[in-house]
Amino acid sequence: MAFAKVLMESFMSPIREITPYVKSHWNKIKRIKYQIMKTLIKFSVILMIMLAAHGCSSDDRAIITEPEGTVEEVKTPTISEINPTKGPKETEVSITGKNFGTDPNRVEVYFNDNLGTIKEVTDNQIKVVVPQMPGYASGTGNIVVKVENMVLDGPEFTYLSTGLVSTYSGSSEGDDDGPLEQAKYSRPIGIAMDNLGHIYIADAENHRIRQIAPDGSVITLAGGKAGDNDGVVSLALFDNPRGIAVDELGTIYIADFNNHKIKKITNVGIVVTVAGSTEGFQDGQGTEAKFAYPEDIALDGQGNILVADGYNSRIRKISPDGEVTTLAGGDEGFADGPSHLAQFYYPSGLAVDEDGNIFVVDEGNHKIRKITPEGMVSTLAGSDNGYADGFGIEAAFQYPSRLATDANGNVYVTDLFNYKIRKITPDGLVSTLSGSDKGNRDGLGEEAQFDALHGIVVDEQETVFVVDTGNNSIRKIIQE
């Protein structure tokens, strides 16, 4: 108890001391209390405003009010897909994504560096028309989309060329020389072009070699009736010449089909047998060698003559000194692999690209084959007899006949009984350049008609010239 009284006294003593002071200054204390409460209320209001602003959503913060105006948050455009992923000029492509806006003037779409035509723009989709592109732009590349100053790389798009077909020379069957429109041919087969723009035709059933000059005049260089005779061009004779090629010096090489020989016309007008004699199969020097109905020839970069030896199902090589060897093939059949094990079934067309790869029309197997400089044989395109575009062996041909290459690695094929010109891109995509069913009609793409296509050549501008054997004419195709 004593301790409690002491504790109470110690607590009350300070209160007794300040009580007289509080009583004497009470009004002043109330005024201070009022000012403190007023200040606390103002502080609370400011704190509540700050907390409310801090609790706003991200959408509320997307627009910030400034004295000068409103600044919008920048939204980055993205691409998710395109449809279709391939097509020729004037194909409408839909590009799906986000944040494209709605102003077509803010959007540009490029196909292999060529500007497309914008049809419609919504925030989630762009509709654009594929432009016409030069032949070299064909193939696969990424679409590029520009929205204001932002550049987007889109998915890949494959541009497919179409061909505008016209009749270059020839009409009804005959053997007339003269201007392009008056000249006549009889079942022409082969075609070649020199570096000066002259076109050479193996006019098979006229047994002649014809020349079309750059000015359009058609003349007969050699031949005139079926036979077998070397010498000056005026006396030379061929029997159903088919394959033809020309080198940088202007020497013309001919696969003389029914004579089983390879001949040449020198640049001074003399016809010479390079290799071959009677029908058969034999390697050897010059006329010791034997062929069986050679169909086509091509020249490589080392001065060799390559021969599609049809009935022997082999690819033969004639060296610059006249030695004939077998490059690939053996018994009739189908097999890829090393050249000495590979098999063909009536090879009918040859071409060589700038890298030394040899392309072969394997007519009886309905395929396009490739022989590398190392001697490996593979199938570039084709499967069973039929008609289908697509990649590699997804595609189908029906007795393809001849082929040609361009400087960009494309391969062009005359598809004999599909009556079409086919194109194979470097990545193996087969498409139809021109043609539909059998007939004789000029026009764009599938509007055009051919009959029994054979020889084909492509110039530096990627203009295609093709021998339309069934229509006794030479057709010209401008790629679009």
Side-chain angles (χ1 to χ4, degrees):
M1 291 294 292
F3 176 76
K5 288 178 65 177
V6 172
L7 182 63
M8 179 63 72
E9 182 63 28
S10 64
F11 176 78
M12 293 300 295
S13 179
I15 294 175
R16 292 191 192 102
E17 290 179 2
I18 67 171
T19 299
Y21 179 83
V22 171
K23 287 182 178 180
S24 63
H25 293 84
W26 179 248
N27 289 334
K28 186 175 181 180
I29 290 171
K30 289 198 296 183
R31 287 196 301 272
I32 293 171
K33 176 184 176 183
Y34 174 78
Q35 292 295 329
I36 291 172
M37 291 300 294
K38 186 176 178 182
T39 301
L40 287 172
I41 291 169
K42 287 182 180 180
F43 179 79
S44 298
V45 171
I46 294 170
L47 182 61
M48 290 174 65
I49 292 172
M50 292 175 65
L51 289 172
H54 182 72
C56 287
S57 66
S58 58
D59 290 336
D60 293 330
R61 289 184 289 114
I63 300 178
I64 303 172
T65 303
E66 298 288 347
E68 294 79 15
T70 300
V71 179
E72 295 185 2
E73 182 181 16
V74 176
K75 296 182 179 180
T76 303
T78 59
I79 298 172
S80 57
E81 64 176 353
I82 64 172
N83 185 47
T85 59
K86 62 183 178 181
K89 69 170 188 173
E90 299 182 1
T91 299
E92 184 177 301
V93 176
S94 295
I95 303 172
T96 305
K98 294 181 179 179
N99 303 324
F100 296 137
T102 58
D103 185 357
N105 295 317
R106 296 174 65 242
V107 176
E108 294 178 344
V109 178
Y110 292 86
F111 298 81
N112 289 354
D113 298 325
N114 292 269
L115 182 62
T117 301
I118 302 296
K119 287 192 67 178
E120 181 182 340
V121 177
T122 67
D123 201 47
N124 299 321
Q125 189 176 72
I126 301 169
K127 291 185 178 180
V128 58
V129 176
V130 176
Q132 177 178 327
M133 294 194 276
Y136 67 81
S138 63
T140 300
N142 285 12
I143 281 181
V144 175
V145 177
K146 294 184 179 180
V147 181
E148 285 288 353
N149 59 345
M150 287 171 284
V151 179
L152 311 174
D153 280 332
E156 288 186 340
F157 180 85
T158 300
Y159 179 77
L160 304 177
S161 299
T162 53
L164 180 60
V165 179
S166 61
T167 299
Y168 185 66
S169 181
S171 53
S172 58
E173 185 173 4
D175 61 1
D176 296 346
D177 288 337
L180 285 172
E181 63 277 8
Q182 295 178 16
K184 292 183 179 181
Y185 309 88
S186 181
R187 306 292 295 179
I189 298 287
I191 189 170
M193 180 180 290
D194 68 17
N195 51 19
L196 298 177
H198 297 92
I199 295 174
Y200 301 90
I201 307 295
D203 191 4
E205 293 194 2
N206 278 324
H207 312 288
R208 298 180 181 188
I209 305 303
R210 315 284 290 278
Q211 181 196 72
I212 306 175
D215 65 4
S217 58
V218 180
I219 62 172
T220 296
L221 288 180
K225 64 180 181 179
D228 183 8
N229 193 54
D230 290 350
V232 295
V233 290
S234 59
L235 300 177
L237 298 175
F238 307 92
D239 192 348
N240 207 289
R242 295 200 173 190
I244 191 166
V246 58
D247 68 16
E248 294 181 353
L249 299 177
T251 303
I252 304 164
Y253 298 86
I254 302 109
D256 196 357
F257 184 76
N258 284 340
N259 284 323
H260 314 289
K261 294 178 179 178
I262 307 304
K263 297 186 176 184
K264 70 178 181 181
I265 305 175
T266 69
N267 51 18
V268 294
I270 304 296
V271 176
V272 178
T273 296
V274 176
S277 53
T278 57
E279 179 186 355
F281 168 70
Q282 183 173 308
D283 288 337
Q285 184 71 34
T287 57
E288 295 175 359
K290 292 183 179 182
F291 303 91
Y293 299 98
E295 276 278 1
D296 197 20
I297 57 175
L299 308 175
D300 68 14
Q302 287 73 49
N304 299 300
I305 305 167
L306 306 173
V307 182
D309 194 3
Y311 278 82
N312 281 322
S313 294
R314 291 171 169 86
I315 308 303
R316 314 286 291 279
K317 182 173 80 171
I318 308 172
S319 67
D321 63 0
E323 183 71 21
V324 179
T325 57
T326 297
L327 181 66
D331 292 338
E332 181 182 290
F334 171 72
D336 287 335
S339 57
H340 67 284
L341 298 177
Q343 291 180 314
F344 303 88
Y345 182 9
Y346 200 82
S348 62
L350 291 174
V352 183
D353 71 10
E354 295 180 350
D355 296 323
N357 297 298
I358 302 167
F359 297 91
V360 182
V361 174
D362 192 359
E363 182 175 321
N365 284 317
H366 313 286
K367 293 175 173 62
I368 308 304
R369 315 284 291 279
K370 176 181 176 180
I371 308 173
T372 67
E374 295 74 31
M376 290 299 296
V377 179
S378 61
T379 298
L380 178 67
S383 52
D384 296 328
N385 181 16
Y387 169 69
D389 287 336
F391 281 95
I393 59 174
E394 297 173 358
F397 302 87
Q398 187 169 193
Y399 295 98
S401 177
R402 299 290 195 274
L403 50 69
T405 60
D406 67 20
N408 295 296
N410 298 298
V411 178
Y412 302 81
V413 181
T414 52
D415 195 357
L416 182 61
F417 290 128
N418 278 322
Y419 309 103
K420 294 174 175 65
I421 308 297
R422 315 289 290 280
K423 182 175 182 178
I424 309 173
T425 62
D427 59 357
L429 178 62
V430 180
S431 62
T432 299
L433 184 64
S434 298
S436 52
D437 52 356
K438 180 179 180 179
N440 186 8
R441 183 171 64 206
D442 292 339
L444 180 64
E446 62 182 16
E447 296 174 356
Q449 292 180 320
F450 305 96
D451 182 5
L453 293 162
H454 284 287
I456 186 169
V457 69
V458 185
D459 70 11
E460 293 180 352
Q461 289 73 45
E462 297 198 356
T463 300
V464 179
F465 295 87
V466 62
V467 179
D468 189 357
T469 303
N471 287 315
N472 297 297
S473 61
I474 313 302
R475 312 288 289 277
K476 179 180 178 179
I477 306 170
I478 298 174
Q479 298 190 65
E480 298 186 349

